[in-house]
Amino acid sequence: MAFSLFGHAEESLKRPKIGLVLSGGGAKGFAHVGALKVIEEAGIPVDFITGTSVGSIVGGLYAVGYDACMLEDIIQSQNWEKLLSNSSKREYVSAITKEEQTRYLISLPIETRKISIPIGLLNGQNVMEFFTYLTYGYHDVTDFSKLPIPFECIAADIATGEEVVLNKGFLPKAIRASMAVPAAIAACEIDGRMLVDGGIVNNFPVDRCREMGADIIIGIDIQDDLLTKDKIKSIPDVISQLTSLMSIERSEKNRKNVDILIRPDISGYSGSSFDTESAIVLMKRGEEAARKILPELIRMRDSLGIVPVVKETRKLPDDNELITISKIEVEGTEKTNVVSFLGKMGITKDKKVTIQHIRQSISRIYAAGNYENVDFRISGDAQKTIYIIVKESSTQRLNIGVHYDTDLQASALINTTIYNDRVSGSNLSLDAKLSSLPMFSARYSLDRGWKPGFTALCSFTSDKIWGYENGDKAAEINVQLTNLQVATQAVISGAFRISIGASLERFRFGDIIGTHNFIELRDATFYNYFAKLKLDEFDKPYFPTKGWAFDGFFKLITDNGWTYNKKTPVGLFGFSIKGANRISDRLTLLPSFYSQFTSASTAPVYYRSFIGGFQRTNYFGGYIPFAGLRRMELSADNAAIARLDLRLRMWQKVFVSVDSNVGMYGDSTSPFTKGNFMVGGGLSIAYDSVVGPIEFNISTSNLNQKITAFFALGYYF
């Protein structure tokens, strides 16, 4: 319960009208909420609200009935890193797409045979969906003066530079337009105009609040003073400075037109300080700044004869509320089949569904990667209509990845993916890995969900196998693999990916430097049959805190399509299972198990298990990581390794982990009873950077009794 922001209706007609103005300022706007808590405590009613950028977010939500305490809870419960990103929840991403999304640093659309540069780093999908959820119940209110508190927010027309006052339309979209920081968040189209953050024209819209009819203005200003040149050190600093420069004169004028001004101390924080720790401090500072003028607020209240009224605040919409859908309308699907689109939502006419189901359906459609934005609104009383507005993405993309590690050195990945049919999941993907060990591949896939689909692959891969003697590198063997593969595949329950197929695999060996102890090391061609099962339910592809993943295979190896060495085919099977269990906010336990076995007394050397290192790439399928050995330091027909890592998050994106593993290996078909024992472990430090994980590991084992170091930067591919 909180003091009402409205007061008695009869009283409101007699007294002067009070306006609330909230400035822009990015994450520093968390301070608005703390200041509002004190304004409520003073029992000050609010008759009008205007806001810009983050001020439009806080102001818009305040206008529909959320009080300061509720806003505080909302802010502290959010994962701001995900909310302010283009990423989807991994649980909604298809099994195939998950593999692709973890490889690229840059993804650019190709339009009319030209590479297109996005107009913003972020498309705003996640924040728009969140605002839509928070304002459920007011989706039909197209005149913002009809909200519980009349509201206006400010945007700018990026084409003309004109100020645009948003007081009508769809409230979440108006808020979204007002916060579209140029170059950071994509512009928002409303009524044919491309709108961006209003901070470049009117970052403290006191004048607009006066025009609404406010007699008394309470302003909360979290704008920065102009930065000196020695304090401009980052892109957010540059954006903040440009915004201030363009609107400083008007902000100064508006500041003089405020009756009660609250200016929280926002030093030490920038417009990009979107994390829970910063939010808590900034809200506290906003409260402290407002509390200093609490006596002034109380004097104003008493002079106006205002009697505080206790009124229940708006609660979050009930995700489990059942609503009846009478109609679904979709706009913007020029290149997709609407019937198939609706089928993916799992919602039919006259069906009762929960709000949560609608939100999850929207998230799944967006996660498929076919749309830049998927917006929705729910209209109507007893019978609801869902309006869905999509913006289709390009059917062709250029994707780029970069990686460096101490084993394979520097490499770059260039990929072009062409979507032939958005709904059916038909696409062609072309890869070129540029490095001292190049790789080229072309893959066509038809993803039909649980129904059997199709995939065809043609690839050329090169790699190095290192031979070791007495712990020292004794041989370097260049090997190339040409792989032609066809398979059928299906995805069960949106998670398990099953594939069955056949492949032609041609191994060719190049230069061999030094000595080696491999037998039968010659060029060879194999005709194989395989079955694969994959599952990935990690919450994050790198540094997961919960979930698990499974990757298993069975392969029949032949040299003529029927037999191997005129005998029965060689059976090869293996699996890995990895988990993440969050013990606390900072501590995560990561158990895993790796194995590969053969049915033959001696497996073909090409299909042995190659053990050692921290690499995540596995082009040949026989690589098993092991902390304490260098990459491919050990090989065996059969191997089983158990691993347990304990990872501590030291700071927001810095992790330290203790890595340990034990295993058995050998050429016997009974490695657990007749194999060799191995144990190893080490320490790792990693940073989750914008260019991918940066990792440094040191480890040792009972086999080489040497310190092994490994460094890697960038996404693996």
Side-chain angles (χ1 to χ4, degrees):
M1 305 290 284
F3 286 110
S4 170
L5 306 182
F6 313 106
H8 291 298
E10 183 179 348
E11 172 197 70
S12 179
L13 294 174
K14 298 177 182 178
R15 62 167 173 76
K17 300 296 178 68
I18 300 173
L20 176 68
V21 181
L22 307 175
S23 79
K28 294 170 293 183
F30 290 134
H32 287 319
V33 176
L36 287 174
K37 186 183 292 187
V38 178
I39 293 173
E40 291 175 6
E41 182 181 326
I44 304 296
V46 175
D47 301 295
F48 305 104
I49 301 176
T50 59
T52 298
S53 193
V54 69
S56 74
I57 300 173
V58 177
L61 297 178
Y62 209 58
V64 299
Y66 293 107
D67 70 0
C69 288
M70 192 70 233
L71 290 174
E72 185 177 43
D73 290 342
I74 291 171
I75 288 170
Q76 293 189 48
S77 65
Q78 295 313 300
N79 183 330
W80 289 98
E81 180 182 356
K82 285 192 174 181
L83 199 61
L84 294 170
S85 74
N86 295 331
S87 65
S88 304
K89 286 186 178 180
R90 293 195 87 229
E91 62 187 284
Y92 300 140
V93 178
S94 71
I96 297 174
T97 306
K98 280 179 182 176
E99 296 180 13
E100 295 295 313
Q101 288 182 342
T102 61
R103 306 196 306 163
Y104 307 128
L105 176 63
I106 299 172
S107 181
L108 300 172
I110 299 176
E111 303 283 358
T112 60
R113 300 183 181 180
K114 294 181 180 179
I115 297 174
S116 175
I117 304 299
I119 59 175
L121 295 176
L122 306 177
N123 58 25
Q125 169 69 27
N126 294 330
V127 290
M128 181 65 181
E129 191 278 334
F130 189 54
F131 297 156
T132 302
Y133 161 67
L134 292 176
T135 58
Y136 173 69
Y138 290 96
H139 292 182
D140 283 334
V141 179
T142 57
D143 182 349
F144 301 164
S145 67
K146 305 299 183 184
L147 294 171
I149 304 177
F151 171 72
E152 290 183 355
C153 60
I154 309 301
D157 188 326
I158 193 64
T160 65
E162 295 176 337
E163 177 183 3
V164 179
V165 178
L166 297 171
N167 51 26
K168 290 182 173 58
F170 186 44
L171 179 60
K173 194 163 188 179
I175 295 172
R176 160 73 178 81
S178 182
M179 61 164 285
V181 179
I185 302 177
C188 187
E189 184 175 353
I190 296 180
D191 296 332
R193 307 180 81 172
M194 294 301 293
L195 304 183
V196 298
D197 193 318
I200 64 175
V201 289
N202 193 353
N203 206 33
F204 193 36
V206 177
D207 48 348
R208 297 307 180 190
C209 198
R210 291 285 186 194
E211 292 173 3
M212 291 180 74
D215 302 300
I216 299 172
I217 297 287
I218 300 173
I220 307 174
D221 185 7
I222 45 91
Q223 297 177 93
D224 279 313
D225 294 326
L226 288 178
L227 300 173
T228 57
K229 66 178 183 179
D230 59 309
K231 292 184 178 181
I232 302 175
K233 298 179 179 179
S234 65
I235 292 176
D237 291 339
V238 172
I239 293 174
S240 176
Q241 185 80 338
L242 288 173
T243 300
S244 298
L245 285 169
M246 287 186 281
S247 63
I248 187 170
E249 184 176 343
R250 192 165 182 180
S251 291
E252 289 291 343
K253 182 178 179 181
N254 279 332
R255 199 173 286 133
K256 294 175 183 177
N257 197 18
V258 172
D259 297 286
I260 296 179
L261 181 63
I262 302 172
R263 296 203 72 183
D265 174 17
I266 42 82
S267 60
Y269 294 90
S270 71
S272 60
S273 299
F274 283 102
D275 59 85
T276 303
E277 291 85 352
S278 298
I280 292 172
V281 173
L282 286 165
M283 287 189 287
K284 186 66 176 176
R285 289 190 182 182
E287 182 179 347
E288 291 170 351
R291 200 162 292 284
K292 290 178 182 178
I293 63 165
L294 180 58
E296 186 178 349
L297 291 170
I298 293 174
R299 283 196 300 272
M300 182 191 74
R301 179 198 69 195
D302 294 343
S303 69
L304 297 177
I306 296 172
V307 179
V309 177
V310 176
K311 184 179 177 119
E312 187 174 357
T313 183
R314 172 181 168 89
K315 293 183 172 63
L316 289 174
D318 182 3
D319 253 347
N320 296 313
E321 177 188 345
L322 279 171
I323 60 177
T324 302
I325 305 301
S326 62
K327 185 189 297 184
I328 303 176
E329 295 190 6
V330 183
E331 299 176 18
T333 55
E334 297 178 1
K335 302 174 183 177
T336 51
N337 183 287
V338 176
V339 175
S340 299
F341 183 98
L342 297 178
K344 286 181 178 290
M345 288 195 68
I347 301 174
T348 57
K349 182 180 177 182
D350 298 325
K351 180 179 179 180
K352 285 190 174 183
V353 297
T354 63
I355 296 173
Q356 183 180 41
H357 180 93
I358 296 172
R359 296 181 69 195
Q360 289 175 343
S361 297
I362 295 296
S363 295
R364 285 192 179 93
I365 291 170
Y366 172 70
N370 298 324
Y371 305 98
E372 292 183 22
N373 298 100
V374 184
D375 301 333
F376 75 101
R377 63 184 176 92
I378 303 171
S379 177
D381 298 319
Q383 300 287 318
K384 305 288 188 182
T385 298
I386 303 178
Y387 295 93
I388 302 172
I389 304 94
V390 302
K391 181 179 180 182
E392 294 177 325
S393 58
S394 170
T395 57
Q396 187 173 354
R397 300 192 72 83
L398 174 67
N399 305 303
I400 299 172
V402 293
H403 180 81
Y404 172 84
D405 65 60
T406 49
D407 286 336
L408 302 180
Q409 306 301 310
S411 58
L413 176 66
I414 300 176
N415 166 272
T416 297
T417 301
I418 303 169
Y419 298 93
N420 301 319
D421 187 319
R422 295 177 183 277
V423 175
S424 71
S426 171
N427 70 78
L428 176 66
S429 181
L430 306 175
D431 278 351
K433 176 185 151 188
L434 309 179
S435 74
S436 59
L437 299 170
M439 181 272 291
F440 305 95
S441 73
R443 183 184 66 255
Y444 173 80
S445 64
L446 178 63
D447 180 14
R448 302 179 65 201
W450 63 271
K451 296 180 181 180
F454 175 77
T455 181
L457 171 71
C458 175
S459 68
F460 170 83
T461 305
S462 54
D463 206 340
K464 288 182 180 179
I465 299 174
W466 290 299
Y468 292 87
E469 292 180 2
N470 300 320
D472 296 319
K473 187 184 295 186
E476 182 178 296
I477 306 159
N478 294 308
V479 58
Q480 298 168 350
L481 170 62
T482 301
N483 192 345
L484 303 177
Q485 184 181 113
V486 293
T488 183
Q489 62 184 14
V491 179
I492 309 300
S493 300
F496 280 98
R497 179 183 173 189
I498 300 172
S499 58
I500 300 173
S503 64
L504 183 152
E505 298 179 8
R506 169 69 176 173
F507 290 88
R508 182 179 179 276
F509 291 91
D511 297 333
I512 300 176
I513 302 173
T515 61
H516 68 88
N517 57 2
F518 295 132
I519 60 172
E520 301 179 2
L521 201 57
R522 61 177 184 270
D523 297 352
T525 301
F526 298 91
Y527 306 88
N528 302 331
Y529 308 94
F530 63 84
K532 296 180 181 179
L533 175 62
K534 283 192 174 185
L535 170 72
D536 182 351
E537 290 197 328
F538 281 133
D539 59 338
K540 302 175 184 176
Y542 298 95
F543 310 108
T545 59
K546 63 179 180 179
W548 66 292
F550 178 87
D551 190 349
F553 74 92
F554 175 76
K555 181 180 288 188
L556 281 177
I557 301 169
T558 78
D559 53 16
N560 59 9
W562 300 103
T563 62
Y564 177 71
N565 280 344
K566 298 181 180 181
K567 298 179 181 179
T568 59
V570 174
L572 187 70
F573 68 96
F575 68 90
S576 67
I577 183 168
K578 295 176 281 187
N581 182 24
R582 185 175 181 175
I583 300 174
S584 68
D585 182 54
R586 293 182 177 272
L587 203 61
T588 303
L589 193 65
L590 302 158
S592 57
F593 182 81
Y594 303 86
S595 66
Q596 181 168 301
F597 303 96
T598 178
S599 63
S601 57
T602 301
V605 64
Y606 321 90
Y607 297 105
R608 288 168 66 89
S609 299
F610 293 94
I611 308 166
F614 289 89
Q615 277 283 344
R616 300 192 187 195
T617 51
N618 194 8
Y619 294 125
F620 289 171
Y623 172 70
I624 297 178
F626 189 85
L629 295 177
R630 289 159 290 190
R631 183 175 186 265
M632 294 186 173
E633 183 170 351
L634 184 68
S635 69
D637 284 346
N638 303 288
I641 293 168
R643 179 166 172 167
L644 185 64
D645 297 348
L646 185 64
R647 188 178 66 219
L648 175 67
R649 180 172 63 84
M650 298 290 291
W651 293 282
Q652 189 68 18
K653 294 187 177 183
V654 178
F655 305 88
V656 174
S657 66
V658 178
D659 313 316
S660 61
N661 41 211
V662 297
M664 299 292 293
Y665 71 95
D667 295 339
S668 168
T669 54
S670 302
F672 292 109
T673 58
K674 300 180 181 179
N676 303 296
F677 176 75
M678 58 195 302
V679 61
L683 294 172
S684 302
I685 184 169
Y687 174 60
D688 188 8
S689 76
V690 295
V691 297
I694 301 174
E695 303 172 277
F696 177 72
N697 320 95
I698 56 171
S699 61
T700 188
S701 73
N702 67 320
L703 298 182
N704 62 16
Q705 298 181 356
K706 293 184 177 182
I707 298 296
T708 297
F710 175 76
F711 173 78
L713 182 154
Y715 300 111
Y716 289 86
F717 46 78

